[in-house]
Amino acid sequence: MKKRFFTNARMILPDQRGSILGSLVVEDGMITEIRSGLLTIGLPVAGLAGVIDCQGDYLFPGLIDLHCHGAVGHDAMEATPTAFDRILRHHLSHGTTLTVLSTVSAPLEGILSVLMAAEQYITSTSDGFLAGIHLEGPYFARSRRGAHLESSLREPSDQETRALLKHREIIKRITIAPEIPGACELILELKKHGITISAGHSEASDSEAKTGFDLGVTQVTHLYNCMSSQRSHLGTRTTGLAEAALTRRGVLCELIADGVHLPPTLLRLAWMAKGWEELVLVSDATAGAGMGEGALFDLGGIPCRIANDAAWTGTGSGRRLAGSTACLLDGVRFMVECVGIPLEEAVAMATLVPAKALGIERERGSIDRGKRADLVRVSPAWQVNGVWSSGLKVV
């Protein structure tokens, strides 16, 4: 591959270095040089082949989404290359260059179909947009199931665990409620096989949550949403999974910053408690992402409708949020503009932090020499003006 030169770019750099106005050199899909200044001497002039004049736009690392169900009417549970491709391409157009697709609670056969389809998809494609699968369910507390079919919820079993572990390489994370029967044994077994365990859709008490962390739970799924939190009991206050995660060092907390799931105050509270290093932004996007107001779609057998920029299931008192219709970049913007988080920290929460969670921070997740050139050009008005994967323009 010929060299590519990104000039006049406001690059967001890792390790609290903030942003610098400068130029970037890419060769063979890798970042080989970073220079500060407008048109650094020695770089080709704009207009020549292989020169991208960013005209003062931001240059972010490619965004990494650890929790995404779908987009444009398609869901990961379809378990087809077409569905995967359309979901990934939609989010790619909004700056997400690597995605972990998420399942919903379903019979074992349906979950295994997704795992096998993902294995085949990664083997047959070379674009590198799919990182693997996040199993969200079916081991949940019924009272915190959210938009998951109650009939699909169940307790772990040795037989089912053995079937899932045959596909452990493609499984990047499993979300479980640590308090349900069989959860402790499952946590220990998954940890033994190197699978990341996240607590979520849980009614865990403070002590049950801490037991889960002690056994090997290292993350929580969509902090605050579908999980136990502080409440009054017989005149005294008790805490739950949310507070246990916020006060436990080393536990990574997902945040859905779409402006619907959580108010700015709770998002800022999480940031003040954990710092950017232990918070990861996720889209939790469903098939409704990219569809218009009033559009209908299915989420794991549950009919959903888009209303007021969010996905919902049910009506009246039974109405529930059913994931997001946003993309990951929307969450970065919300954290900056509505929560007041520094831009470089919000970007890191959608790039470097998820890269570390996947164990790929040496290859992806930041603009650094020697790393893969997954890049997103974003205007000051948050318009995506280009996406590159391994230095090749894909949007």
Side-chain angles (χ1 to χ4, degrees):
M1 181 191 297
K2 295 181 179 179
K3 285 186 179 181
R4 296 182 186 275
F5 303 87
F6 294 81
T7 64
N8 303 326
R10 295 187 182 276
M11 295 173 284
I12 303 298
L13 302 180
D15 303 324
Q16 299 298 295
R17 282 181 274 168
S19 66
I20 64 166
L21 181 62
S23 303
L24 188 72
V25 182
V26 173
E27 188 171 6
D28 294 327
M30 308 296 287
I31 299 170
T32 58
E33 198 167 351
I34 300 171
R35 304 183 187 181
S36 61
L38 273 173
L39 279 171
T40 308
I41 295 174
L43 287 179
V45 297
L48 293 179
V51 178
I52 299 96
D53 184 355
C54 294
Q55 300 178 334
D57 284 352
Y58 290 105
L59 203 59
F60 295 171
L63 306 185
I64 301 173
D65 195 349
L66 296 183
H67 188 162
C68 174
H69 293 275
V72 291
H74 289 278
D75 187 278
M77 294 303 296
E78 294 174 40
T80 67
T82 298
F84 291 168
D85 198 58
R86 291 183 179 174
I87 294 166
L88 296 171
R89 292 284 172 181
H90 172 79
H91 290 284
L92 182 67
S93 70
H94 293 269
T96 300
T97 56
L98 187 65
T99 300
V100 177
L101 289 177
S102 296
T103 63
V104 294
S105 299
L108 177 61
E109 293 75 14
I111 294 172
L112 292 177
S113 293
V114 176
L115 296 176
M116 289 185 286
E119 290 167 340
Q120 294 169 3
Y121 184 87
I122 290 177
T123 300
S124 62
T125 58
S126 58
D127 52 32
F129 302 144
L130 177 61
I133 299 297
H134 159 220
L135 299 184
E136 189 179 11
Y139 312 125
F140 293 163
R142 295 181 184 275
S143 59
R144 297 285 182 174
R145 68 184 183 278
H148 289 252
L149 279 176
E150 186 171 9
S151 59
S152 292
L153 303 185
R154 53 192 180 273
E155 297 171 3
S157 70
D158 291 343
Q159 181 180 2
E160 190 157 294
T161 299
R162 286 194 296 270
L164 293 174
L165 286 175
K166 291 179 181 178
H167 306 276
R168 57 184 172 271
E169 296 298 327
I170 201 72
I171 299 172
K172 298 305 174 184
R173 181 165 53 112
I174 296 181
T175 295
I176 65 175
E179 76 280 8
I180 67 171
C184 292
E185 293 80 3
L186 178 60
I187 291 168
L188 291 172
E189 186 68 14
L190 294 174
K191 181 182 178 182
K192 185 169 69 176
H193 289 276
I195 295 176
T196 299
I197 309 114
S198 186
H201 290 271
S202 166
E203 200 66 83
S205 65
D206 183 78
S207 62
E208 289 169 333
K210 290 176 178 177
T211 295
F213 297 148
D214 290 340
L215 291 175
V217 172
T218 58
Q219 299 182 17
V220 295
T221 299
H222 41 57
L223 180 69
Y224 300 118
N225 296 114
C226 292
M227 69 173 58
S228 54
S229 185
Q230 64 87 25
R231 72 200 93 177
S232 178
H233 178 67
L234 299 177
T236 61
R237 308 300 297 182
T238 61
T239 56
L241 176 58
E243 292 78 22
L246 284 170
T247 55
R248 179 79 168 223
R249 293 295 180 195
V251 173
L252 182 65
C253 298
E254 275 190 4
L255 293 175
I256 307 173
D258 61 350
V260 180
H261 278 76
L262 297 171
T265 299
L266 281 181
L267 291 166
R268 189 168 182 84
L269 177 63
W271 175 69
M272 293 178 71
K274 301 290 284 185
W276 67 267
E277 298 96 332
E278 292 189 354
L279 296 175
V280 60
L281 296 178
V282 298
S283 71
D284 196 18
T286 61
M291 301 175 73
E293 187 79 2
L296 303 175
F297 67 94
D298 181 88
L299 179 64
I302 299 177
C304 302
R305 177 188 293 271
I306 299 175
N308 302 318
D309 297 322
W312 303 87
T313 181
T315 58
S317 60
R319 190 177 190 230
R320 295 176 181 167
L321 273 171
S324 169
T325 60
C327 291
L328 190 51
L329 184 62
D330 299 319
V332 177
R333 179 176 185 174
F334 191 82
M335 292 296 285
V336 173
E337 294 188 345
C338 300
V339 184
I341 306 303
L343 174 63
E344 61 270 19
E345 294 189 15
V347 170
M349 288 158 61
T351 55
L352 184 58
V353 175
K356 288 181 177 180
L358 292 172
I360 57 171
E361 70 273 18
R362 292 191 177 186
E363 296 85 36
R364 301 196 192 202
S366 62
I367 294 177
D368 259 328
R369 294 174 69 175
K371 287 196 173 184
R372 175 171 160 146
D374 290 350
L375 303 166
V376 186
R377 178 182 169 187
V378 180
S379 77
W382 297 92
Q383 177 180 332
V384 174
N385 288 330
V387 180
W388 291 262
S389 176
S390 290
L392 295 175
K393 197 170 191 298
V394 290
V395 175

